[in-house]
Every structure is written in C-alpha cells, then in structure tokens.
Amino acid sequence: MKELLPPQPGPIGIFDSGYGGLTILHSIRQLLPQYDYMFLGDNARAPYGHRSFDVVYEFTRQAVLRLFKEGCHLVILGCNTASAKALRSIQQHDLPQWDAERRVLGVIRPTAEIVGTLTRNGHVGLLATEGTVKSHSYDMEIHKFWPHVRVSGVACPFWVPLVEYNEADSPGADYFVKKRLDELMLCDPDIDTILLGCTHYPILLPKILKYVQPNVRIVAQGEYVAQSLANYLSRHTAINDLCTRGGTCTYFTTENPDKFREGARMFLHEDVDVRHIDIE
C-alpha cells in the first residue's frame, strides 16, 4: 500500500485490546526510554479473550494498519490474544501487501525463548485468556525452544474484568484467583514456574503470590519483551534507524478518553494525555 510511504522515521507502536499492554509499554520504556512510543488501546471492543480467531485477526489488523498510517514502522502486539490469533497471519499475508519493510512483533515468543532457563524441573503452568489457552500458541512456541518442557494451561475468564473494573485488590478477587491457581496445580502438581500469559495479570500479582507455594516462580512478560525488543533493534539496524528518539509517548483509545485515563492510572500510576481514535 503505497500510501504508507515515504519511510520517514516514527515512533514504536504498541497495541493492546485494552489496558494490559500498558504493562508491556512500561517495561519497554524503562529499558529503552530514549525512543518515542505510540500506544493504541482498542478499549471500545475489549476484551478480545473470548472472541473468534477471525474477529481478533480483523480487529488487530485494523489497529496495526492505523499505527502504520500514524507513522510507526515497528508495532508490538502487547496483547497475548492478538499475538496468538493474529500475529502470524499479519506477518505472512498482510505485511507483504502493505509494506514489506515494516514489522509486527508479539509478546509470546520472547517469553517462550527464556522459559526453559527459568523452570528447574521442566513443568510450566500458563494462566491466560480462553483464546490464548485454546490457541496452544505458548505450547507450540515453548516446544520449539524447549521440547522437554511440559506446559499446562488454564483459562482465567474473570481476571481481566477484575482488573479493568478496578477490583484487583478486592476480597472478591481472592476467590477467582485461588480457584484458577488450584485448578492449574491440579493439572500438574509439579509445576514450578507459572507464566502470566495476559498483560493484565501482573496487576493481580499480590493475590497470585498469596495462593502459590513460595517455591513456585511467577513470570510476568514485561521485562522479557523489553529485553527481546532491545536485542531485536540492535540486530535490525534498518528498523532501528526508522524509530525516532525523543523520549515521548502518545496515547490513543477507541473508547472515551476520560475512561481510558482513569484505567491507565491503575497500570502506570500517572495521568496520561490521551486522544480518541477510530480504527474500523
């Protein structure tokens, strides 16, 4: 699509269906503060976890194309469901038609690459949305790097709403967190490492730690995605040269900006300047 040209440098785009990708953005900005970033949350159509492959693909495709048109040459899908259901199709089918020089990366592979170094006994648990668990994306990616690792996954359908409705610290959250953790450990009592396969879930970390054994390691994605991005940019100088460096961050939402601002405060602990954007 020639309207995406010319290739003038622009910010790094980060997309999420809602607020969860802000945890990825925060980790990336901590490690790579020199770059400019553009965050897009499709909050009006969130959550994506229960939606079909076709719908998630179409929504993600629309968001990526919009970020490209806003000047991004590199977009990170800061959403596990989008990474599981849409990333491969966008990389293989859409990018060659849009602009073969642009890139879209996900959040599953960076975690899969290192998980074998984190588990002591090769038994790994996954807590994620229904869509991510059913896609088996984590299982497949992990087994590419660590064939011996056993992965057991449990869907946590109420965890995202708990976070988005600011109930993560409520007594009611204890029931839903404990229930899913108990279910996961029943799948494999030998699990020694649990992956939080949804970017919302780090907000629930205090509750999670309350109900796991102290010898079980909890792995959030943010730092590993950030490290993977830093490595990627160091190896792909052409893309790196197209990423501007001003230390800024622009926020867009498909929802009401005031509502986004309130939700973002939970994740970033600061007020952000956000604008409404249409991506359909």
Side-chain angles (χ1 to χ4, degrees):
M1 298 184 65
K2 298 302 181 184
E3 66 266 28
L4 292 175
L5 302 175
Q8 298 177 341
I12 297 172
I14 298 178
F15 166 70
D16 186 46
S17 59
Y19 299 103
L22 293 171
T23 61
I24 300 296
L25 172 65
H26 177 70
S27 295
I28 290 175
R29 292 191 74 191
Q30 281 191 313
L31 185 64
L32 301 167
Q34 70 272 31
Y35 291 92
D36 294 314
Y37 297 94
M38 182 175 289
F39 182 88
L40 170 56
D42 188 14
N43 305 80
R45 301 188 292 193
Y48 281 12
H50 66 286
R51 294 187 182 274
S52 69
F53 273 79
D54 290 342
V55 170
V56 172
Y57 164 59
E58 182 57 29
F59 286 0
T60 305
R61 184 178 179 276
Q62 292 170 358
V64 169
L65 186 56
R66 184 56 190 261
L67 285 168
F68 281 172
K69 289 182 176 179
E70 292 292 330
C72 301
H73 294 269
L74 171 64
V75 172
I76 312 298
L77 302 185
C79 172
N80 282 271
T81 303
S83 295
K85 293 185 174 183
L87 178 61
R88 185 180 297 273
S89 294
I90 289 174
Q91 288 176 332
Q92 294 181 351
H93 303 298
D94 294 315
L95 283 180
Q97 300 178 46
W98 291 343
D99 186 336
E101 301 305 314
R102 303 203 184 210
R103 296 290 182 267
V104 180
L105 306 176
V107 292
I108 293 176
R109 187 182 181 97
T111 315
E113 287 178 339
I114 53 86
V115 71
T117 68
L118 302 178
T119 175
R120 299 180 301 278
N121 63 9
H123 292 257
V124 172
L126 170 68
L127 298 170
T129 66
E130 180 182 1
T132 298
V133 172
K134 286 186 175 181
S135 75
H136 298 289
S137 295
Y138 269 95
D139 312 49
M140 293 186 289
E141 284 296 322
I142 289 172
H143 289 150
K144 288 178 185 177
F145 302 100
W146 313 98
H148 67 285
V149 170
R150 173 179 174 178
V151 182
S152 303
V154 166
C156 307
F158 295 105
W159 285 23
V160 169
L162 281 172
V163 172
E164 299 235 341
Y165 286 100
N166 203 17
E167 294 292 332
D169 295 327
S170 70
D174 287 73
Y175 169 80
F176 292 104
V177 170
K178 185 177 186 301
K179 179 179 180 180
R180 298 308 176 188
L181 285 168
D182 288 347
E183 183 180 344
L184 181 64
M185 297 309 294
L186 280 175
C187 292
D188 182 2
D190 293 324
I191 287 171
D192 76 342
T193 303
I194 296 177
L195 302 181
L196 302 185
C198 174
T199 51
H200 283 72
Y201 294 177
I203 303 299
L204 289 163
L205 192 56
K207 299 287 188 186
I208 294 169
L209 292 173
K210 183 177 177 181
Y211 295 108
V212 295
Q213 294 298 316
N215 65 319
V216 176
R217 185 173 194 165
I218 307 300
V219 179
Q221 297 170 290
E223 66 174 295
Y224 302 107
V225 173
Q227 291 168 5
S228 180
L229 176 58
N231 180 264
Y232 181 89
L233 291 171
S234 70
R235 291 184 292 109
H236 297 82
T237 55
I239 286 291
N240 188 45
D241 290 344
L242 288 170
C243 298
T244 54
R245 293 160 176 78
T248 67
C249 189
T250 305
Y251 297 89
F252 292 110
T253 178
T254 58
E255 244 285 6
N256 180 282
D258 290 335
K259 185 176 180 181
F260 180 90
R261 201 173 290 113
E262 180 181 345
R265 199 175 296 120
M266 287 188 297
F267 290 82
L268 300 176
H269 306 292
E270 62 177 299
D271 291 322
V272 299
D273 184 19
V274 58
R275 289 190 289 144
H276 176 268
I277 196 172
D278 290 316
I279 63 175
E280 295 182 47

PDB file of all heavy atoms in Angstrom, residues 158 174-184:
ATOM      1  N   PHE A 158     -12.413 -14.457  34.283  1.00  0.00           N
ATOM      2  CA  PHE A 158     -12.851 -13.306  35.074  1.00  0.00           C
ATOM      3  C   PHE A 158     -11.706 -12.383  35.482  1.00  0.00           C
ATOM      4  O   PHE A 158     -11.947 -11.333  36.080  1.00  0.00           O
ATOM      5  CB  PHE A 158     -13.592 -13.786  36.329  1.00  0.00           C
ATOM      6  CG  PHE A 158     -14.880 -14.499  36.024  1.00  0.00           C
ATOM      7  CD1 PHE A 158     -14.961 -15.887  36.146  1.00  0.00           C
ATOM      8  CD2 PHE A 158     -15.992 -13.792  35.597  1.00  0.00           C
ATOM      9  CE1 PHE A 158     -16.133 -16.545  35.854  1.00  0.00           C
ATOM     10  CE2 PHE A 158     -17.175 -14.452  35.306  1.00  0.00           C
ATOM     11  CZ  PHE A 158     -17.246 -15.837  35.427  1.00  0.00           C
ATOM     12  N   ASP A 174      -9.980 -12.619  45.487  1.00  0.00           N
ATOM     13  CA  ASP A 174      -9.304 -13.774  46.072  1.00  0.00           C
ATOM     14  C   ASP A 174      -9.928 -15.077  45.601  1.00  0.00           C
ATOM     15  O   ASP A 174      -9.225 -16.041  45.291  1.00  0.00           O
ATOM     16  CB  ASP A 174      -9.369 -13.699  47.600  1.00  0.00           C
ATOM     17  CG  ASP A 174      -8.446 -12.632  48.169  1.00  0.00           C
ATOM     18  OD1 ASP A 174      -8.768 -11.436  48.024  1.00  0.00           O
ATOM     19  OD2 ASP A 174      -7.405 -12.991  48.733  1.00  0.00           O
ATOM     20  N   TYR A 175     -11.252 -15.107  45.547  1.00  0.00           N
ATOM     21  CA  TYR A 175     -11.939 -16.342  45.152  1.00  0.00           C
ATOM     22  C   TYR A 175     -11.544 -16.760  43.742  1.00  0.00           C
ATOM     23  O   TYR A 175     -11.198 -17.924  43.499  1.00  0.00           O
ATOM     24  CB  TYR A 175     -13.460 -16.139  45.229  1.00  0.00           C
ATOM     25  CG  TYR A 175     -14.247 -17.262  44.590  1.00  0.00           C
ATOM     26  CD1 TYR A 175     -14.452 -18.456  45.281  1.00  0.00           C
ATOM     27  CD2 TYR A 175     -14.753 -17.142  43.296  1.00  0.00           C
ATOM     28  CE1 TYR A 175     -15.161 -19.500  44.702  1.00  0.00           C
ATOM     29  CE2 TYR A 175     -15.465 -18.178  42.704  1.00  0.00           C
ATOM     30  CZ  TYR A 175     -15.657 -19.352  43.414  1.00  0.00           C
ATOM     31  OH  TYR A 175     -16.347 -20.386  42.828  1.00  0.00           O
ATOM     32  N   PHE A 176     -11.588 -15.822  42.793  1.00  0.00           N
ATOM     33  CA  PHE A 176     -11.316 -16.159  41.395  1.00  0.00           C
ATOM     34  C   PHE A 176      -9.847 -16.487  41.164  1.00  0.00           C
ATOM     35  O   PHE A 176      -9.509 -17.371  40.377  1.00  0.00           O
ATOM     36  CB  PHE A 176     -11.748 -15.002  40.491  1.00  0.00           C
ATOM     37  CG  PHE A 176     -13.226 -14.793  40.456  1.00  0.00           C
ATOM     38  CD1 PHE A 176     -13.802 -13.737  41.148  1.00  0.00           C
ATOM     39  CD2 PHE A 176     -14.051 -15.654  39.756  1.00  0.00           C
ATOM     40  CE1 PHE A 176     -15.173 -13.536  41.128  1.00  0.00           C
ATOM     41  CE2 PHE A 176     -15.418 -15.470  39.723  1.00  0.00           C
ATOM     42  CZ  PHE A 176     -15.986 -14.411  40.417  1.00  0.00           C
ATOM     43  N   VAL A 177      -8.953 -15.803  41.859  1.00  0.00           N
ATOM     44  CA  VAL A 177      -7.524 -16.079  41.711  1.00  0.00           C
ATOM     45  C   VAL A 177      -7.183 -17.450  42.284  1.00  0.00           C
ATOM     46  O   VAL A 177      -6.515 -18.272  41.643  1.00  0.00           O
ATOM     47  CB  VAL A 177      -6.687 -14.974  42.385  1.00  0.00           C
ATOM     48  CG1 VAL A 177      -5.219 -15.388  42.448  1.00  0.00           C
ATOM     49  CG2 VAL A 177      -6.838 -13.665  41.622  1.00  0.00           C
ATOM     50  N   LYS A 178      -7.649 -17.723  43.492  1.00  0.00           N
ATOM     51  CA  LYS A 178      -7.356 -19.011  44.124  1.00  0.00           C
ATOM     52  C   LYS A 178      -7.953 -20.165  43.327  1.00  0.00           C
ATOM     53  O   LYS A 178      -7.318 -21.222  43.159  1.00  0.00           O
ATOM     54  CB  LYS A 178      -7.885 -19.036  45.557  1.00  0.00           C
ATOM     55  CG  LYS A 178      -7.519 -20.310  46.318  1.00  0.00           C
ATOM     56  CD  LYS A 178      -8.011 -20.258  47.751  1.00  0.00           C
ATOM     57  CE  LYS A 178      -7.526 -21.471  48.546  1.00  0.00           C
ATOM     58  NZ  LYS A 178      -7.972 -22.758  47.954  1.00  0.00           N
ATOM     59  N   LYS A 179      -9.156 -19.982  42.817  1.00  0.00           N
ATOM     60  CA  LYS A 179      -9.824 -21.045  42.064  1.00  0.00           C
ATOM     61  C   LYS A 179      -8.997 -21.470  40.858  1.00  0.00           C
ATOM     62  O   LYS A 179      -8.803 -22.663  40.600  1.00  0.00           O
ATOM     63  CB  LYS A 179     -11.205 -20.561  41.618  1.00  0.00           C
ATOM     64  CG  LYS A 179     -11.977 -21.589  40.799  1.00  0.00           C
ATOM     65  CD  LYS A 179     -13.351 -21.068  40.409  1.00  0.00           C
ATOM     66  CE  LYS A 179     -14.108 -22.114  39.601  1.00  0.00           C
ATOM     67  NZ  LYS A 179     -15.456 -21.633  39.202  1.00  0.00           N
ATOM     68  N   ARG A 180      -8.497 -20.517  40.098  1.00  0.00           N
ATOM     69  CA  ARG A 180      -7.739 -20.846  38.881  1.00  0.00           C
ATOM     70  C   ARG A 180      -6.354 -21.391  39.226  1.00  0.00           C
ATOM     71  O   ARG A 180      -5.844 -22.273  38.523  1.00  0.00           O
ATOM     72  CB  ARG A 180      -7.628 -19.619  37.981  1.00  0.00           C
ATOM     73  CG  ARG A 180      -8.976 -19.111  37.491  1.00  0.00           C
ATOM     74  CD  ARG A 180      -9.808 -20.216  36.848  1.00  0.00           C
ATOM     75  NE  ARG A 180     -11.128 -19.724  36.476  1.00  0.00           N
ATOM     76  CZ  ARG A 180     -12.122 -20.482  36.031  1.00  0.00           C
ATOM     77  NH1 ARG A 180     -11.945 -21.798  35.917  1.00  0.00           N
ATOM     78  NH2 ARG A 180     -13.287 -19.964  35.717  1.00  0.00           N
ATOM     79  N   LEU A 181      -5.738 -20.877  40.268  1.00  0.00           N
ATOM     80  CA  LEU A 181      -4.436 -21.405  40.672  1.00  0.00           C
ATOM     81  C   LEU A 181      -4.566 -22.853  41.153  1.00  0.00           C
ATOM     82  O   LEU A 181      -3.731 -23.706  40.816  1.00  0.00           O
ATOM     83  CB  LEU A 181      -3.828 -20.541  41.768  1.00  0.00           C
ATOM     84  CG  LEU A 181      -3.263 -19.192  41.303  1.00  0.00           C
ATOM     85  CD1 LEU A 181      -2.956 -18.307  42.494  1.00  0.00           C
ATOM     86  CD2 LEU A 181      -1.997 -19.399  40.462  1.00  0.00           C
ATOM     87  N   ASP A 182      -5.613 -23.137  41.918  1.00  0.00           N
ATOM     88  CA  ASP A 182      -5.849 -24.513  42.371  1.00  0.00           C
ATOM     89  C   ASP A 182      -6.086 -25.434  41.179  1.00  0.00           C
ATOM     90  O   ASP A 182      -5.583 -26.568  41.134  1.00  0.00           O
ATOM     91  CB  ASP A 182      -7.056 -24.572  43.314  1.00  0.00           C
ATOM     92  CG  ASP A 182      -6.769 -23.952  44.676  1.00  0.00           C
ATOM     93  OD1 ASP A 182      -5.583 -23.696  44.980  1.00  0.00           O
ATOM     94  OD2 ASP A 182      -7.734 -23.703  45.422  1.00  0.00           O
ATOM     95  N   GLU A 183      -6.851 -24.951  40.199  1.00  0.00           N
ATOM     96  CA  GLU A 183      -7.134 -25.745  39.004  1.00  0.00           C
ATOM     97  C   GLU A 183      -5.848 -26.036  38.237  1.00  0.00           C
ATOM     98  O   GLU A 183      -5.632 -27.154  37.747  1.00  0.00           O
ATOM     99  CB  GLU A 183      -8.122 -24.986  38.113  1.00  0.00           C
ATOM    100  CG  GLU A 183      -8.544 -25.738  36.871  1.00  0.00           C
ATOM    101  CD  GLU A 183      -9.517 -24.943  36.013  1.00  0.00           C
ATOM    102  OE1 GLU A 183     -10.089 -23.947  36.518  1.00  0.00           O
ATOM    103  OE2 GLU A 183      -9.701 -25.313  34.833  1.00  0.00           O
ATOM    104  N   LEU A 184      -4.986 -25.035  38.132  1.00  0.00           N
ATOM    105  CA  LEU A 184      -3.731 -25.214  37.409  1.00  0.00           C
ATOM    106  C   LEU A 184      -2.844 -26.245  38.106  1.00  0.00           C
ATOM    107  O   LEU A 184      -2.269 -27.133  37.447  1.00  0.00           O
ATOM    108  CB  LEU A 184      -2.993 -23.874  37.308  1.00  0.00           C
ATOM    109  CG  LEU A 184      -1.664 -23.905  36.552  1.00  0.00           C
ATOM    110  CD1 LEU A 184      -1.882 -24.270  35.086  1.00  0.00           C
ATOM    111  CD2 LEU A 184      -0.965 -22.546  36.655  1.00  0.00           C
TER     112      LEU A 184
END
